[in-house]
Amino acid sequence: MPLFATATEVGIATLVDRFYAKVRADEQLGPIFNGVIADWTAHKRILRDFWSSIVLRSGRYRGNPMGVHRELPPFPQAFRQRWLALWRETAHEVFEASTAELFIGTAERVAQGLSLGMKLGRLSLEHPSRIIEPLHFVS
């Protein structure tokens, strides 16, 4: 049973917290993320601001996702797929279906934009029927 019907700040915080708990514990993703992120509290705060800015239009996020991700080693597509699978699962645990799909579709567009922007190629999505539109980041 989902916890929230619509996107709220508390819902976003819950989504980010639960999702990154799964990432940290994941056999594939955990070693990568735990090796790169020194301060999980600060990282999750940034991600809450990011999602709040995108979904709620709060304007709190002031970062540069492309720049941050370009500093990291490229991850195999299988790892990016695993990230999206955990995100989908967690979004459906936290939000009712239509709100979960908003977060999932947005995450897929972000992932696609990062993949293309980092010249890693087009990301194959588990839901190929989704239309992936170009995503433009404002820095």
Side-chain angles (χ1 to χ4, degrees):
M1 178 93 183
L3 302 173
F4 302 94
T6 62
T8 64
E9 294 291 352
V10 174
I12 289 170
T14 302
L15 174 62
V16 168
D17 288 347
R18 285 184 177 207
F19 171 72
Y20 279 105
K22 289 180 184 185
V23 166
R24 292 179 75 182
D26 188 77
E27 190 175 287
Q28 292 177 346
L29 299 178
I32 296 168
F33 280 80
N34 291 321
V36 173
I37 299 169
D39 184 346
W40 277 97
T41 301
H43 182 70
K44 290 191 295 186
R45 188 176 316 116
I46 291 167
L47 272 291
R48 287 182 200 121
D49 288 350
F50 175 81
W51 286 102
S52 174
S53 291
I54 289 179
V55 174
L56 301 178
R57 308 281 188 228
S58 69
R60 290 200 325 252
Y61 181 74
R62 300 282 184 225
N64 179 351
M66 188 66 71
V68 170
H69 286 86
R70 279 188 175 146
E71 293 175 9
L72 301 172
F75 299 115
Q77 188 162 145
F79 288 2
R80 292 178 278 150
Q81 292 290 356
R82 180 68 181 147
W83 188 100
L84 284 169
L86 288 176
W87 182 260
R88 289 180 191 111
E89 174 184 286
T90 310
H92 280 291
E93 291 170 2
V94 174
F95 294 107
E96 288 186 3
S98 62
T99 304
E101 288 301 319
L102 168 67
F103 280 93
I104 291 165
T106 303
E108 289 175 347
R109 286 189 298 279
V110 168
Q112 193 67 263
L114 289 171
S115 186
L116 292 171
M118 294 168 57
K119 299 184 182 3
L120 299 174
R122 190 160 188 78
L123 182 62
S124 297
L125 299 171
E126 288 182 20
H127 302 287
S129 62
R130 292 192 195 281
I131 297 172
I132 303 301
E133 298 174 12
L135 182 69
H136 304 283
F137 291 107
V138 178
S139 50

